[in-house]
């Protein structure tokens, strides 16, 4: 039956085809990196997406970003500690809501940081 409709197995690719595809993807990655570097250095005009990001998220200094990261990590640690205390309540009483809320908030704050 497979002879009538052709083989369902893909044809094996040669080493040359795989090497050509690999080199093409490296060239694309290099051009993407060059495009990003030119944008960071201000050597090309900003794209519409970059202008939107700049309008929505003003540039922050390194110190401000570091403070925000540290605050998010401390808040995440406190919420994780609170969630671990709520796990006792989950195990002994079967009340899952406090643990679920604390654990979810912990993960959201950790991701934001």
């Amino acid at each position: 039956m497979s002879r009538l409709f052709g083989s369902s197995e893909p044809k094996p690719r040669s080493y040359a085809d795989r090497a050509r595809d690999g080199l093409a993807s490296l060239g694309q990655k290099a051009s993407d990196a060059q495009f990003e570097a030119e944008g960071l250095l201000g050597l090309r005009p900003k794209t519409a997406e970059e202008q939107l990001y700049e309008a929505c998220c003003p540039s922050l200094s390194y110190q401000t970003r570091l403070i925000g990261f540290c605050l998010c990590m401390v808040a995440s640690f406190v919420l994780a500690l609170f969630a671990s205390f709520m796990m006792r309540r989950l195990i002994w009483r079967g009340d899952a809501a406090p643990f679920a809320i604390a654990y979810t908030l912990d993960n959201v704050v950790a991701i934001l940081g």
Side-chain angles (χ1 to χ4, degrees), residues 25-46:
S25 69
L26 283 177
Q28 180 62 37
K29 289 177 185 176
S31 65
D32 290 345
Q34 180 182 0
F35 183 77
E36 288 295 322
E38 288 172 351
L40 290 173
L41 296 173
L43 300 176
R44 64 168 172 77
K46 294 186 182 207

Side-chain angles (χ1 to χ4, degrees), residues 11-105:
K11 182 180 175 184
R13 299 178 62 213
S14 69
Y15 291 115
D17 289 338
R18 285 189 273 174
R20 183 176 49 248
D21 291 345
L23 290 174
S25 69
L26 283 177
Q28 180 62 37
K29 289 177 185 176
S31 65
D32 290 345
Q34 180 182 0
F35 183 77
E36 288 295 322
E38 288 172 351
L40 290 173
L41 296 173
L43 300 176
R44 64 168 172 77
K46 294 186 182 207
T47 64
E49 183 180 9
E50 290 171 338
Q51 290 174 357
L52 178 66
Y53 286 150
E54 192 173 284
C56 293
C57 306
S59 60
L60 300 173
S61 69
Y62 181 74
Q63 181 180 6
T64 306
R65 291 173 196 258
L66 189 60
I67 290 171
F69 171 75
C70 290
L71 288 175
C72 283
M73 291 309 294
V74 167
S76 177
F77 177 74
V78 169
L79 285 169
L81 189 63
F82 182 68
S84 67
F85 289 128
M86 292 298 112
M87 190 181 292
R88 282 191 339 188
R89 190 171 175 177
L90 168 68
I91 293 171
W92 289 342
R93 297 184 193 168
D95 188 12
F99 171 75
I101 292 169
Y103 188 74
T104 302
L105 285 175

